[in-house]
Amino acid sequence: MNLFAESIPIAVDLLASSGFWTALLLAILIAGPIGLIPGVGGTTTIALVLPFLILSVDPTTGLIFIGAMIALGQSLDIIPAVLLGYPGPTSTVDFLEGHQLARKGYGARVIGATYVVSAIGGVIGAITL
């Protein structure tokens, strides 16, 4: 049996566990509001939460939590960059072009296009990985 076939039952068990969904929900609830603050990215949020993770969470749940927080923080960084004109750590290009288009009334299109391209890149990256 190859490594891929052996890892499928482990992944299904992880998805069925309550710890996975709890970590994901907590990451969304913590990183969501913080990710909308201009200039505060996922890295800052992780730096604030990391000491509590090391002391109280098993490694698998901690990695799920950190991954979800970083992904959400970087995804939400686009909104203040485009709509308010405050660039964040990951949204410099979106700030330069997107804010000018948002001032002309195309803010929703810029944010939508950014998320679509990000999703395509994420799927291609996951398949490649």
Side-chain angles (χ1 to χ4, degrees):
M1 193 182 276
N2 62 10
L3 184 62
F4 181 72
E6 292 174 1
S7 62
I8 290 176
I10 296 170
V12 169
D13 287 341
L14 182 65
L15 287 174
S17 72
S18 64
F20 171 81
W21 295 106
T22 304
L24 198 60
L25 182 66
L26 279 174
I28 290 170
L29 292 175
I30 292 172
I34 294 174
L36 290 173
I37 300 171
V40 179
T43 309
T44 307
T45 309
I46 293 300
L48 295 173
V49 177
L50 192 60
F52 302 106
L53 285 176
I54 291 173
L55 296 174
S56 61
V57 177
D58 67 306
T60 305
T61 307
L63 286 174
I64 292 166
F65 187 78
I66 289 173
M69 285 189 72
I70 289 175
L72 185 62
Q74 289 179 348
S75 295
L76 291 177
D77 192 29
I78 294 166
I79 295 172
V82 170
L83 297 181
L84 301 176
Y86 293 111
T90 60
S91 62
T92 305
V93 175
D94 297 316
F95 160 71
L96 291 174
E97 298 294 328
H99 183 62
Q100 299 301 321
L101 288 169
R103 290 176 61 187
K104 293 179 182 178
Y106 296 111
R109 286 187 183 186
V110 171
I111 292 172
T114 304
Y115 283 135
V116 167
V117 170
S118 177
I120 291 170
V123 168
I124 291 172
I127 290 170
T128 304
L129 181 64

